[in-house]
Amino acid sequence: MERPIRVVVAKPGLDGHDRGAKVVARALRDAGMEVIYTGLRQTPEQIVETAIQEDADCVAMSILSGAHNHLFPKVVQLLKEKEAEDILVVGGGVIPEDDIPGLLEAGISAIFTPGTPTTVTIDFIRENIRKK
Amino acid sequence: MDIKAGLLNNNKRAAARLITMLENGIEEALDIIKECYHLTGHARIVGITGPPGAGKSTVTDKLAKALRKEGLTVGIIAVDPTSPFTGGAILGDRVRMSDLSTDPGVFIRSMGTRGALGGLSKAAHGAVKVLDIFGMDYIFIETVGVGQSEVDIVKLADTVIMVMVPGLGDDIQAIKAGIMEIGDVFAVNKSDRDGAERTAAEIEAMLDFNKQEDYRPSVVNLIARDNVGVDKLLEAIENHRAYLDASGRYRSRKRDSLRTEVIEIFKENVIRSVARLEEDTNVLEELTESVLERRIDPYTAAARLMDSFTENGV
Ligand SMILES: Nc1nc2c(ncn2[C@@H]2O[C@H](COP(=O)(O)OP(=O)(O)OP(=O)(O)O)[C@@H](O)[C@H]2O)c(=O)[nH]1
Ligand SMILES: [Mg+2]
């Protein structure tokens, strides 16, 4: 039996819009994935604990508030501390071009800026999760 | 990762991985459960069911927080429907339980129904065992109260809470057939809304019809969102448990549920053995062919299949 890929879709930071995250969540579901949707204003600690308890293959985060340079790497760092760095981390939202290399350097596997077709995100997740 | 050692040493990652392995039917996972089964039986298992949006997750969140205040640990299994078309699911119950995520004494696991025959029930059984071995004092299972598979899961529970909301009216009529009977405690959530007293009265009236001789389910008005009435609900759960213990029903309930589980596992093993036998012999295909040509009937075919089983020592 083919097991579904499990993705935690999280919205860290203080901005109050999760429309983008919901669009991604639905697209991933429609691609046959199990999406654990966590809602607004998640702290990195909450996201990492959720990913661990849910045995997620991937954490997908979206940020509009501009706090990505702090929050995305923080999630990667906490996953490392919990020996869960094998969980794929991807990010999206309003992220300036100039910030992307630094985020990739910090261990975020991909950044999807607005306008990226959801199929690109889906394919990236499928191809890059660790095979269990 | 040594999953068994992790499970016994409070490592959530190990517990989480074991649940996944059980969900995906991986054999090694069963071995770990076999080795640790003697550690189960500690947790009190509470089913939370009711119509979509009734507030089941909010109720679960508040109950868990109340129990944590008493120093008890809590596991939560939250089930949401899998899309029958894509096999995907959006599991959204954690949205109402965000504060619990980082509590070391809480473990929350979301699960899709994944459609397949008894598949959910098997996965939920597995997750309950893992969380029980993990040492949780309470385990909550949230499911939407529609359909047979949900009813099956809920049978796992020692106590079932039916979460209702005011103004269901006709829905209560629809729900009552078969499903009303499984409620041990009724919570009328969203009692901040009009009609809460009437809904409670309607439930009471229905309970008059379903009289059990020695236990009558409590009906509790609740505003889970504002944490109002949660202590009363907890008390009703305790009362039901006290009744189960005092009446000997606890053991008989467990016995029933374990018997069902053994039969389910047995059936599954038989089906798997047929598949394995078929790989070597084609006996099922040949028997089917004979039935198709009306040389034998399906009953005889099944009996012969059984014979070739015993012959092959399966
Ligand atoms: N007015 C009112 N709203 C409530 C109460 N409790 C929960 N809600 C709201 O009801 C909505 C649904 O709550 P959930 O806890 O997600 O309900 P659920 O039964 O778990 O929903 P599903 O899992 O989707 O079936 C949310 O918007 C809650 O804030 C309450 O006591 N009063
Ligand atoms: Mg819910």
Side-chain angles (χ1 to χ4, degrees), chain A residues 1-4 6 22 25-26 28-40 42-43 45-47 49-50 52-56 82-87 130 132, chain B residues 11-13 16-21 23-25 82-83 86-96 98-103 106-114 116:
Chain A
M1 189 187 79
E2 174 115 6
R3 86 193 163 80
R6 288 169 65 84
K22 278 183 172 155
R26 273 193 291 268
L28 297 180
R29 175 201 57 194
D30 292 343
M33 300 184 191
E34 281 183 350
V35 177
I36 296 103
Y37 190 71
T38 59
L40 292 170
Q42 296 286 299
T43 64
E45 286 78 7
Q46 287 172 328
I47 293 169
E49 270 303 321
T50 297
I52 286 174
Q53 292 168 30
E54 299 288 353
D55 193 23
K82 299 267 177 183
E83 292 174 35
E85 63 267 43
D86 51 324
I87 298 173
R130 147 213 55 160
K132 276 184 200 158
Chain B
N11 179 334
K12 286 186 177 173
R13 211 152 190 230
R17 180 58 51 79
L18 187 56
I19 293 173
T20 308
M21 288 164 69
E23 210 172 9
N24 296 324
T82 293
S83 154
T86 65
I90 292 183
L91 312 174
D93 295 314
R94 291 189 86 106
V95 172
R96 315 268 169 237
S98 279
D99 314 334
L100 294 176
S101 297
T102 49
D103 183 333
V106 175
F107 188 113
I108 307 173
R109 183 61 175 243
S110 313
M111 231 172 231
T113 49
R114 296 199 186 172

Side-chain angles (χ1 to χ4, degrees), chain B residues 31-87:
Chain B
D31 292 338
I32 297 174
I33 297 294
K34 285 181 201 167
E35 288 164 28
C36 300
Y37 191 73
H38 63 283
L39 297 171
T40 63
H42 166 76
R44 296 171 59 166
I45 305 168
V46 178
I48 310 243
T49 190
K56 300 177 293 297
S57 301
T58 311
V59 170
T60 307
D61 177 63
K62 296 301 190 294
L63 285 173
K65 281 176 182 150
L67 290 165
R68 290 295 294 138
K69 280 215 184 94
E70 296 177 22
L72 297 164
T73 54
V74 180
I76 297 170
I77 301 164
V79 182
D80 277 319
T82 293
S83 154
F85 303 109
T86 65

Side-chain angles (χ1 to χ4, degrees), chain B residues 166 186-189 191 196-197 199-200 219-223 228-230 232:
Chain B
F186 288 83
V188 180
N189 191 35
S191 284
E197 291 308 321
T199 302
V219 181
V220 181
N221 282 93
L222 195 68
I223 309 172
V228 174
V230 175
K232 286 227 177 62

